[in-house]
Amino acid sequence: MLHEHVITTAWRLNSLANFYSVPFFRALEQATGVSRAQYNILLCLAHFPGITAQDIVAISSRPKNSISVAVGQLEESGLIVRRQSRTDSRLIELHLTEFGREAYAELTPLLEQRQSRMLDVLTPSERNRLDQLLLKVGLNIPAWEEPELPPSLKRFRSKGGRQTAN
């Protein structure tokens, strides 16, 4: 399925990302209780202390509800705290606690090791080139982020398992 298809590159990227993340985060959650959404929040807060949950939704492209639930769980676990912004009282900033910084510091090398194992097949030069190309595509996200779907696709909607006619 990863050969000779119109969307081969996107399919491969998605497939590789799933093989990298799904088994890891399943095992991590079973071992520690830290979910993928929770780790993403720890990562964002380690690099951008004081951002809001809305900022994390924008950065991670994760659903608002999963980030909201994960923020509550992390706060309950003592890994993050919420604080009212000093510059805008309407905003609630998120910060890692010392325990949250410890968790992030201990979990991140595990992801780095997994990434190294995934990329072991590449030479250092190939890894560098892959990183440069992915960065280039990533920096261009605004140009392709919004799907362009024709209105005619509505005819494929279904209700109760049956196709609807529009």
Side-chain angles (χ1 to χ4, degrees), residues 60-95:
S60 67
S61 191
R62 303 294 304 160
K64 184 178 178 179
N65 62 334
S66 69
I67 295 299
S68 177
V69 168
V71 164
Q73 293 166 333
L74 288 169
E75 186 177 36
E76 191 175 302
S77 299
L79 295 168
I80 68 168
V81 293
R82 300 179 211 221
R83 293 189 197 131
Q84 190 170 27
S85 170
R86 292 180 184 166
T87 58
D88 186 341
S89 61
R90 297 169 295 171
L91 299 177
I92 301 297
E93 299 175 344
L94 305 174
H95 297 270

Side-chain angles (χ1 to χ4, degrees), residues 1-57:
M1 212 157 129
L2 297 180
H3 301 286
E4 300 176 20
H5 192 279
V6 176
I7 56 169
T8 302
T9 302
W11 187 265
R12 284 182 184 157
L13 287 170
N14 187 57
S15 181
L16 289 170
N18 284 336
F19 275 105
Y20 171 81
S21 63
V22 172
F24 178 84
F25 284 108
R26 185 181 310 121
L28 182 68
E29 188 166 8
Q30 289 172 352
T32 67
V34 176
S35 69
R36 180 179 181 176
Q38 291 170 344
Y39 179 80
N40 285 333
I41 293 167
L42 296 176
L43 172 70
C44 289
L45 295 180
H47 293 275
F48 306 105
I51 62 174
T52 66
Q54 293 86 349
D55 295 330
I56 294 170
V57 168

Side-chain angles (χ1 to χ4, degrees), residues 95-137:
H95 297 270
L96 292 175
T97 63
E98 184 58 37
F99 188 45
R101 282 188 286 280
E102 288 174 24
Y104 176 76
E106 195 166 328
L107 298 175
T108 299
L110 301 174
L111 283 154
E112 291 170 347
Q113 291 166 10
R114 185 157 176 82
Q115 176 180 275
S116 289
R117 287 197 346 252
M118 178 179 67
L119 299 175
D120 273 347
V121 69
L122 302 177
T123 67
S125 174
E126 289 171 330
R127 283 184 186 202
N128 186 45
R129 186 66 180 141
L130 176 62
D131 192 49
Q132 290 173 354
L133 293 171
L134 291 173
L135 180 60
K136 185 175 183 176
V137 172

